[in-house]
Amino acid sequence: MRFIAVPLVLVLALVAISCGSGGSGTQPDTVDTTATSAHDPSQQVKDQVVADATADLNLIASAGKDTSVLSQAMKGTALQDATNTINQDLAAGKYKKRDYQNLQVRLDDYNYPIAQVVAEFDDNSYYVDSSTGQALSKPAGDHVKLDLALVEEEGRWKIQGIFLPSNANTPTTPIQER
């Protein structure tokens, strides 16, 4: 999938000049979180962001060819691109069975209304025939590391952007789905 980084960068720049807070809900007891923003959220907010991002990825993985469930986990460009990719695959007579193993999610940055998490997992996804369900490819088995930009919508954090990880020396680059 192609993701447009320019709108996200503009939003991040605008948010960087203001300070806000947000997020609520109950969280799991043990979650690896790291806040690098000057806007340090409560542990409850950190846990909620990580829990929602994990649930989002699990929902996306279980969607198969049902694009209607994606809006529960995604919004904006990420939702549009994921829906388009699945529809293109279905038009070609296939869809991707997503299988994310050893999923680890941690909060990397928080600047309300945007949170960034790092997601790492072993991607054992493969394509199947959309009519028969018969495997068309073998699991990739790649170890994947992604930066996910999330925004809060009605008390739930949803994925708005998916990017290759970046650091101070490497700008974030939009990714295309494999």
Side-chain angles (χ1 to χ4, degrees):
M1 285 188 271
R2 293 184 314 173
F3 294 91
I4 301 172
V6 175
L8 183 59
V9 171
L10 288 173
V11 169
L12 289 173
L14 291 173
V15 171
I17 61 173
S18 69
C19 184
S21 64
S24 63
T26 59
Q27 280 61 232
D29 289 334
T30 58
V31 177
D32 179 20
T33 58
T34 306
T36 57
S37 171
H39 304 234
D40 193 21
S42 69
Q43 187 63 44
Q44 185 177 19
V45 171
K46 293 176 186 180
D47 292 345
Q48 186 67 47
V49 170
V50 170
D52 286 352
T54 302
D56 291 345
L57 289 167
N58 286 325
L59 183 76
I60 293 164
S62 68
K65 54 186 173 179
D66 182 6
T67 59
S68 68
V69 301
L70 296 177
S71 63
Q72 297 172 35
M74 306 172 96
K75 63 181 288 160
T77 304
L79 174 60
Q80 292 170 350
D81 288 345
T83 301
N84 290 343
T85 297
I86 291 172
N87 287 334
Q88 288 171 358
D89 286 345
L90 288 171
K94 64 182 180 178
Y95 69 95
K96 187 179 255 188
K97 279 200 104 150
R98 289 173 174 80
D99 182 6
Y100 303 150
Q101 298 292 314
N102 305 314
L103 177 61
Q104 296 179 344
V105 177
R106 68 174 170 79
L107 182 63
D108 189 50
D109 197 9
Y110 180 87
N111 203 343
Y112 190 81
I114 298 172
Q116 178 181 324
V117 299
V118 175
E120 286 191 68
F121 55 91
D122 297 321
D123 187 358
N124 292 313
S125 303
Y126 58 97
Y127 282 97
V128 298
D129 184 280
S130 60
S131 299
T132 66
Q134 196 167 39
L136 299 174
S137 65
K138 294 183 182 203
D142 296 330
H143 184 77
V144 177
K145 184 176 181 180
L146 301 171
D147 285 345
L148 306 175
L150 291 94
V151 293
E152 188 179 23
E153 180 178 271
E154 298 177 5
R156 172 119 169 61
W157 291 89
K158 294 183 177 183
I159 299 169
Q160 181 153 339
I162 304 173
F163 306 92
L164 293 174
S166 65
N167 59 40
N169 299 321
T170 310
T172 300
T173 306
I175 67 161
Q176 291 184 352
E177 185 166 326
R178 301 172 193 203

